[in-house]
Amino acid sequence: MTNRSLPAPRLESDRSLEFAIATRRTRRTFLPEPLTEEEVTQLLWAALGITDPEHGLRAAPSAMESYPLELYVATAEGLWRYLPAENALEARASGDLREALRADSHDQDSITSAPVVFVFTAVYARAAAKLGPGSEPYVHMDLGHAAQNLLLQATALGLAGVPIAWIEPDRIASTLALPEDQEPLYLVPVGRPE
Protein backbone atom coordinates (compact mmCIF):
# COMPACT_ATOMS: atom_id res chain seq x y z
CA MET A 1 0.00 0.00 0.00
CA THR A 2 1.13 3.51 -0.72
CA ASN A 3 0.06 6.92 0.46
CA ARG A 4 -2.59 8.60 -1.69
CA SER A 5 -3.24 12.21 -2.54
CA LEU A 6 -6.93 13.06 -2.59
CA PRO A 7 -8.83 15.25 -5.05
CA ALA A 8 -9.76 18.73 -3.94
CA PRO A 9 -13.06 18.84 -2.05
CA ARG A 10 -16.08 20.46 -3.67
CA LEU A 11 -17.30 23.68 -2.11
CA GLU A 12 -20.78 23.61 -3.68
CA SER A 13 -23.51 21.00 -3.84
CA ASP A 14 -26.93 20.43 -5.34
CA ARG A 15 -28.33 19.84 -1.85
CA SER A 16 -28.55 22.54 0.79
CA LEU A 17 -27.36 22.34 4.37
CA GLU A 18 -30.99 22.72 5.40
CA PHE A 19 -31.90 19.66 3.34
CA ALA A 20 -29.09 17.65 4.92
CA ILE A 21 -30.17 18.64 8.43
CA ALA A 22 -33.84 17.83 7.73
CA THR A 23 -33.16 14.45 6.12
CA ARG A 24 -30.17 13.10 8.09
CA ARG A 25 -31.12 9.76 9.61
CA THR A 26 -29.11 7.00 11.19
CA ARG A 27 -28.91 3.97 8.91
CA ARG A 28 -27.44 0.62 9.88
CA THR A 29 -27.68 -1.33 6.62
CA PHE A 30 -25.93 -0.40 3.42
CA LEU A 31 -25.59 -1.52 -0.17
CA PRO A 32 -22.25 -3.25 -0.85
CA GLU A 33 -21.27 -0.67 -3.50
CA PRO A 34 -17.99 1.09 -2.61
CA LEU A 35 -17.76 4.84 -2.18
CA THR A 36 -15.90 6.87 -4.77
CA GLU A 37 -12.63 8.60 -3.94
CA GLU A 38 -14.44 11.92 -4.33
CA GLU A 39 -17.09 10.89 -1.78
CA VAL A 40 -14.46 9.76 0.72
CA THR A 41 -12.60 13.04 0.19
CA GLN A 42 -15.73 15.09 0.88
CA LEU A 43 -16.45 13.15 4.07
CA LEU A 44 -12.90 13.50 5.39
CA TRP A 45 -12.80 17.20 4.50
CA ALA A 46 -16.15 17.88 6.18
CA ALA A 47 -14.95 16.21 9.38
CA LEU A 48 -11.37 17.48 9.78
CA GLY A 49 -10.36 19.12 6.52
CA ILE A 50 -8.54 22.42 6.16
CA THR A 51 -10.86 25.27 5.20
CA ASP A 52 -8.40 28.15 5.71
CA PRO A 53 -4.97 27.08 4.44
CA GLU A 54 -3.35 30.37 5.44
CA HIS A 55 -4.16 29.83 9.12
CA GLY A 56 -4.60 26.02 9.14
CA LEU A 57 -8.20 26.25 10.32
CA ARG A 58 -10.49 23.27 9.84
CA ALA A 59 -14.09 22.52 8.93
CA ALA A 60 -15.05 21.63 12.52
CA PRO A 61 -14.28 23.86 15.49
CA SER A 62 -11.70 22.80 18.04
CA ALA A 63 -11.18 24.17 21.54
CA MET A 64 -8.27 26.64 21.41
CA GLU A 65 -7.37 25.18 18.00
CA SER A 66 -5.85 22.15 19.74
CA TYR A 67 -7.06 19.73 17.04
CA PRO A 68 -6.79 16.58 19.18
CA LEU A 69 -8.63 14.31 16.74
CA GLU A 70 -7.19 11.89 14.19
CA LEU A 71 -9.32 10.21 11.54
CA TYR A 72 -8.79 6.81 9.94
CA VAL A 73 -10.54 5.17 6.99
CA ALA A 74 -11.09 1.40 6.96
CA THR A 75 -12.22 -0.28 3.72
CA ALA A 76 -11.98 -3.72 2.16
CA GLU A 77 -8.57 -2.69 0.77
CA GLY A 78 -6.97 -1.45 3.97
CA LEU A 79 -6.57 1.25 6.59
CA TRP A 80 -5.44 4.83 6.03
CA ARG A 81 -4.91 7.86 8.27
CA TYR A 82 -6.21 11.20 7.00
CA LEU A 83 -3.59 13.93 6.71
CA PRO A 84 -5.60 17.18 6.65
CA ALA A 85 -2.70 19.53 5.85
CA GLU A 86 -1.80 17.49 2.75
CA ASN A 87 -5.36 16.39 1.90
CA ALA A 88 -3.95 12.90 1.60
CA LEU A 89 -4.22 9.41 3.06
CA GLU A 90 -1.29 7.76 4.80
CA ALA A 91 -1.26 3.99 4.28
CA ARG A 92 -1.39 2.15 7.62
CA ALA A 93 -2.35 -1.47 6.87
CA SER A 94 -3.43 -3.57 3.93
CA GLY A 95 -6.38 -5.94 4.08
CA ASP A 96 -9.89 -5.65 5.45
CA LEU A 97 -10.00 -4.83 9.17
CA ARG A 98 -13.75 -4.22 9.34
CA GLU A 99 -14.54 -7.72 10.65
CA ALA A 100 -12.07 -7.20 13.50
CA LEU A 101 -13.52 -3.75 14.18
CA ARG A 102 -16.96 -5.34 14.37
CA ALA A 103 -15.69 -7.86 16.93
CA ASP A 104 -14.13 -4.96 18.88
CA SER A 105 -17.47 -3.13 18.86
CA HIS A 106 -19.92 -5.62 20.36
CA ASP A 107 -20.68 -7.28 17.00
CA GLN A 108 -22.51 -4.34 15.43
CA ASP A 109 -23.19 -5.52 11.88
CA SER A 110 -23.26 -2.06 10.31
CA ILE A 111 -19.47 -2.07 10.61
CA THR A 112 -19.15 -4.87 8.07
CA SER A 113 -22.12 -3.91 5.89
CA ALA A 114 -20.73 -0.41 5.24
CA PRO A 115 -18.06 -0.09 2.55
CA VAL A 116 -16.20 2.52 4.63
CA VAL A 117 -15.74 2.86 8.39
CA PHE A 118 -14.36 6.14 9.70
CA VAL A 119 -12.51 5.79 13.00
CA PHE A 120 -12.09 8.88 15.16
CA THR A 121 -9.28 8.79 17.71
CA ALA A 122 -8.07 11.37 20.22
CA VAL A 123 -4.65 12.55 21.26
CA TYR A 124 -5.64 13.96 24.63
CA ALA A 125 -2.17 15.45 25.19
CA ARG A 126 -2.75 17.97 22.39
CA ALA A 127 -5.78 19.39 24.17
CA ALA A 128 -4.06 19.31 27.57
CA ALA A 129 -1.08 21.24 26.16
CA LYS A 130 -3.38 24.10 25.14
CA LEU A 131 -6.16 23.87 27.73
CA GLY A 132 -4.46 22.40 30.78
CA PRO A 133 -5.87 19.84 33.20
CA GLY A 134 -9.50 18.92 32.72
CA SER A 135 -9.40 19.29 28.93
CA GLU A 136 -10.98 15.89 28.16
CA PRO A 137 -14.58 17.20 27.82
CA TYR A 138 -13.41 19.62 25.14
CA VAL A 139 -11.99 16.73 23.12
CA HIS A 140 -15.40 15.08 23.24
CA MET A 141 -17.07 18.30 22.10
CA ASP A 142 -14.61 18.47 19.18
CA LEU A 143 -15.60 14.90 18.31
CA GLY A 144 -19.29 15.84 18.26
CA HIS A 145 -18.64 18.73 15.88
CA ALA A 146 -16.50 16.67 13.51
CA ALA A 147 -18.77 13.61 13.48
CA GLN A 148 -21.88 15.70 12.85
CA ASN A 149 -20.14 17.43 9.93
CA LEU A 150 -19.28 14.02 8.48
CA LEU A 151 -22.86 12.76 8.87
CA LEU A 152 -24.38 15.88 7.32
CA GLN A 153 -21.95 15.67 4.41
CA ALA A 154 -22.91 12.03 3.96
CA THR A 155 -26.57 13.03 3.73
CA ALA A 156 -25.77 15.78 1.22
CA LEU A 157 -24.02 13.13 -0.93
CA GLY A 158 -27.01 10.75 -0.80
CA LEU A 159 -25.16 8.50 1.66
CA ALA A 160 -25.91 7.57 5.26
CA GLY A 161 -24.05 6.57 8.36
CA VAL A 162 -24.34 5.46 11.94
CA PRO A 163 -22.23 6.83 14.79
CA ILE A 164 -21.02 4.03 17.06
CA ALA A 165 -19.69 4.81 20.53
CA TRP A 166 -20.22 1.39 22.14
CA ILE A 167 -16.72 0.13 21.44
CA GLU A 168 -13.77 -1.50 23.18
CA PRO A 169 -11.09 1.20 22.77
CA ASP A 170 -8.12 -0.94 23.84
CA ARG A 171 -9.07 -3.70 21.41
CA ILE A 172 -9.57 -1.24 18.54
CA ALA A 173 -6.22 0.40 19.31
CA SER A 174 -4.59 -3.03 19.05
CA THR A 175 -6.47 -4.01 15.88
CA LEU A 176 -5.44 -0.78 14.14
CA ALA A 177 -1.92 -0.74 15.64
CA LEU A 178 -2.49 2.84 16.78
CA PRO A 179 0.26 4.94 18.35
CA GLU A 180 0.19 4.75 22.15
CA ASP A 181 -0.97 8.36 22.51
CA GLN A 182 -4.20 7.77 20.51
CA GLU A 183 -7.44 6.52 21.97
CA PRO A 184 -10.31 5.36 19.74
CA LEU A 185 -13.54 7.24 20.47
CA TYR A 186 -16.05 6.65 17.70
CA LEU A 187 -16.69 4.57 14.59
CA VAL A 188 -18.86 5.92 11.78
CA PRO A 189 -19.76 3.33 9.12
CA VAL A 190 -20.92 5.08 5.93
CA GLY A 191 -22.45 3.78 2.73
CA ARG A 192 -25.36 3.94 0.34
CA PRO A 193 -28.53 3.22 2.33
CA GLU A 194 -30.48 0.07 1.48
Side-chain angles (χ1 to χ4, degrees):
M1 283 180 55
T2 59
N3 293 356
R4 295 179 10 204
S5 293
L6 296 170
R10 290 181 321 171
L11 300 182
E12 294 185 13
S13 169
D14 294 337
R15 294 184 175 165
S16 70
L17 175 61
E18 295 82 2
F19 175 82
I21 291 169
T23 60
R24 190 222 50 84
R25 297 292 177 269
T26 296
R27 302 283 191 251
R28 290 178 173 79
T29 57
F30 308 98
L31 298 173
E33 179 183 339
L35 301 188
T36 67
E37 185 173 61
E38 290 77 14
E39 289 167 330
V40 171
T41 295
Q42 282 300 128
L43 294 164
L44 292 166
W45 174 80
L48 295 183
I50 303 290
T51 56
D52 181 349
E54 183 178 340
H55 299 101
L57 301 177
R58 299 192 186 184
S62 177
M64 296 294 293
E65 297 173 15
S66 58
Y67 302 118
L69 300 177
E70 294 285 338
L71 187 53
Y72 293 81
V73 180
T75 69
E77 291 78 36
L79 177 73
W80 290 268
R81 182 174 72 103
Y82 181 49
L83 306 173
E86 294 86 8
N87 190 41
L89 293 175
E90 173 190 61
R92 300 288 296 180
S94 59
D96 195 346
L97 298 174
R98 292 174 300 160
E99 194 67 53
L101 287 171
R102 177 178 173 165
D104 298 341
S105 304
H106 305 278
D107 198 34
Q108 296 180 65
D109 61 358
S110 59
I111 296 168
T112 50
S113 77
V116 177
V117 178
F118 295 90
V119 182
F120 285 94
T121 70
V123 180
Y124 286 104
R126 287 185 201 154
K130 288 226 174 179
L131 301 163
S135 60
E136 191 170 303
Y138 298 103
V139 174
H140 300 159
M141 289 179 212
D142 285 7
L143 173 63
H145 303 313
Q148 182 71 342
N149 276 9
L150 189 150
L151 290 164
L152 290 173
Q153 181 67 76
T155 301
L157 293 170
L159 306 170
V162 53
I164 296 176
W166 189 31
I167 63 173
E168 298 293 334
D170 292 341
R171 290 174 52 184
I172 290 174
S174 177
T175 294
L176 302 183
L178 294 176
E180 286 187 22
D181 65 346
Q182 290 187 35
E183 182 174 333
L185 298 178
Y186 225 19
L187 305 182
V188 183
V190 175
R192 299 180 203 295
E194 264 190 349

